[in-house]
């Protein structure tokens, strides 16, 4: 069974930066597009960013465009989310997810992902 393990969350002041990492077990990581989602208390899980298998294409939510960067290192089975210029409204639990190969819809749709990590808390203070 593939497992996704996130790390790198924490408490940061507004305007600061964090880099999240998500490492996958197994040998098939490079075959799958990957995504990051987040969920704040009392809110639905929302799309943050996604990246294709060879990192040829990336996708971002409008709310993070220009501030966050998704990348991947297939040799390390790891996907990253570099978060700059953080705002209090970025506070949430951040999840990485593996996109299903059978899904052809939008990268922003949570139901298109078949494996999820346990999440890492990001808290941005004002």
């Amino acid at each position: 069974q593939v497992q996704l393990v996130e790390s790198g969350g924490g408490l940061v002041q507004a305007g600061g930066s964090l880099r999240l990492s998500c490492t996958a077990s197994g040998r098939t990581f490079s075959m799958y597009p990957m995504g990051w989602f987040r969920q704040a208390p009392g809110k639905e899980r929302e799309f943050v960013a996604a990246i294709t298998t060879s990192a040829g294409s990336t996708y971002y939510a409008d709310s993070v465009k220009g501030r966050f960067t998704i990348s991947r290192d297939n040799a390390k089975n790891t996907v990253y989310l570099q978060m700059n210029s953080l705002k209090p409204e970025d506070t949430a639990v951040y999840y990485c997810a593996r996109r299903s190969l059978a899904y052809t819809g939008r990268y922003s749709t949570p139901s298109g992902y078949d494996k999820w990590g346990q999440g890492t808390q990001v808290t941005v203070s004002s």
Side-chain angles (χ1 to χ4, degrees):
Q1 283 282 7
V2 170
Q3 288 190 321
L4 304 177
V5 180
E6 300 100 334
S7 61
L11 174 64
V12 64
Q13 288 189 333
S17 298
L18 283 174
R19 188 175 83 153
L20 305 184
S21 300
C22 170
T23 300
S25 62
R27 301 183 178 184
T28 61
F29 176 78
S30 63
M31 295 173 55
Y32 292 87
M34 298 293 294
W36 285 96
F37 290 77
R38 66 187 182 186
Q39 189 166 19
K43 295 188 176 181
E44 292 187 355
R45 190 167 298 189
E46 66 172 357
F47 171 74
V48 175
I51 188 167
T52 54
T53 53
S54 60
S57 295
T58 56
Y59 306 89
Y60 296 94
D62 288 342
S63 59
V64 307
K65 205 170 291 184
R67 301 188 298 122
F68 290 11
T69 302
I70 188 171
S71 61
R72 67 189 295 162
D73 184 338
N74 287 337
K76 295 183 178 180
N77 278 15
T78 300
V79 60
Y80 303 97
L81 185 68
Q82 177 67 45
M83 305 186 295
N84 298 329
S85 302
L86 282 161
K87 305 175 181 180
E89 51 263 43
D90 294 318
T91 295
V93 177
Y94 283 70
Y95 299 89
C96 73
R98 188 186 78 174
R99 180 176 153 101
S100 169
L101 295 179
Y103 186 72
T104 59
R106 293 175 180 267
Y107 278 87
S108 58
T109 304
S111 61
Y113 293 76
D114 60 3
K115 295 291 184 183
W116 293 81
Q118 83 288 351
T120 186
Q121 176 71 46
V122 171
T123 303
V124 185
S125 63
S126 57

